[in-house]
Amino acid sequence: MALEEISASGQRESMSEVLHKCAPGGQGEDPAPSRSALDAEAVKAAYRRWAGVYDTVFGSVSGFGRRRAVEAVNSLSGTKVLEVGVGTGLALPFYTKDKQITGIDLSGDMLARARERVQREKLGNVDALLEMDAEETCFDDASFDIAVAMFVASVVPHPRKLLRELKRVVKPGGHILFVNHFLAPNGVRGAVERGMARASRSLGWHPDFAMESLLPPEDLVRARIQPVPPVGLFTLVTLDNI
């Protein structure tokens, strides 16, 4: 599928001007993964299966985390927002009108539904919806004031590479947010999540994803970490970009 840009008016334009600027993400070694990596094709295949029922099956379950992440974005200064893992666009209607949203996702099937939502709900503050690898985007350095990744950290093959890429495309002094499910360190929930890990490829995400797989120690100590009510199944992580 050719990459496309869709403006708020629904007019599609060639992505050639973006693609020629494509730059790899940050350099450096990732820690040895404690789980099997999901490759891009496995993720695409999983979300191709889920696309038609995603809003019904996952929309309500993830709704609390999604709303909390958008509320946090709306409260921050800066207008240019990158939503990573925009999916079917469930979060798009909840941004305030002063936020200009660019959404990216690896799944063209999900993006097709997001484009329909933009048109149906006349979301004029959605600048672009792009099919793109979050670990290696085509954006210039310091392109955004804020980046928010919703339920993506446990999907990408290399979470630390995702973090480095978001640090690259967000301006110094900007903000990087993650809302995600993270592995419970112990107890019954932790045991269940570890047991579900065998189904990661079919699910399209890792139930046993630990926060340390995403954040190195120096970022973990300065991140603002907030459980998302009512049950704390998801966690909101906010990191100031330095």
Side-chain angles (χ1 to χ4, degrees):
M1 174 181 289
L3 294 180
E4 292 180 312
E5 179 173 349
I6 178 167
S7 67
S9 65
Q11 184 177 17
R12 294 183 181 181
E13 301 171 341
S14 169
M15 279 296 296
S16 59
E17 292 184 358
V18 176
L19 290 175
H20 90 275
K21 298 184 292 186
C22 240
Q27 302 300 310
E29 295 296 325
D30 287 315
S34 58
R35 53 184 177 75
S36 59
L38 291 178
D39 58 67
E41 291 308 313
V43 173
K44 286 183 178 182
Y47 282 93
R48 188 176 300 118
R49 292 192 297 270
W50 289 118
V53 296
Y54 184 88
D55 290 5
T56 302
V57 175
F58 294 107
S60 58
V61 174
S62 62
F64 290 108
R66 206 177 303 275
R67 294 284 190 94
R68 183 66 189 89
V70 173
E71 288 172 4
V73 170
N74 288 339
S75 71
L76 295 170
S77 60
T79 60
K80 297 193 67 176
V81 177
L82 174 65
E83 184 181 328
V84 180
V86 67
T88 63
L90 284 169
L92 295 176
F94 302 106
Y95 292 101
T96 52
K97 298 303 181 186
D98 63 307
K99 302 299 186 190
Q100 297 297 312
I101 312 301
T102 296
I104 65 172
D105 203 282
L106 194 61
S107 169
D109 300 272
M110 293 286 207
L111 284 171
R113 294 178 180 272
R115 291 175 179 131
E116 292 173 0
R117 190 184 306 275
V118 168
Q119 295 303 300
R120 184 172 64 249
E121 303 197 25
K122 296 179 171 59
L123 302 177
N125 62 332
V126 178
D127 287 345
L129 294 171
L130 310 172
E131 186 175 344
M132 194 176 292
D133 185 344
E135 292 186 356
E136 192 169 356
T137 73
C138 300
F139 302 117
D140 289 334
D141 293 355
S143 291
F144 299 95
D145 301 305
I146 303 165
V148 55
M150 302 190 191
F151 313 109
V152 171
S154 53
V155 172
V156 297
H158 310 102
R160 294 276 182 92
K161 186 176 181 181
L162 168 66
L163 177 62
R164 290 196 298 270
E165 181 68 350
L166 297 189
K167 287 180 176 181
R168 183 185 72 80
V169 302
V170 171
K171 298 174 183 177
H175 309 279
I176 299 169
L177 297 87
F178 296 93
V179 64
N180 214 87
H181 169 77
F182 293 101
L183 174 68
N186 45 46
V188 175
R189 198 183 98 186
V192 170
E193 290 164 350
R194 290 183 178 89
M196 290 175 63
R198 300 185 200 91
S200 292
R201 290 182 68 87
S202 297
L203 290 169
W205 58 284
H206 287 282
D208 60 337
F209 182 70
M211 192 176 297
E212 291 79 4
S213 297
L214 171 65
L215 298 179
E218 63 271 19
D219 287 334
L220 192 59
V221 297
R222 66 185 186 88
R224 297 188 294 280
I225 300 171
Q226 302 168 287
V228 175
V231 295
L233 184 62
F234 303 114
T235 300
L236 177 66
V237 178
T238 305
L239 195 65
D240 295 334
N241 199 31
I242 55 176

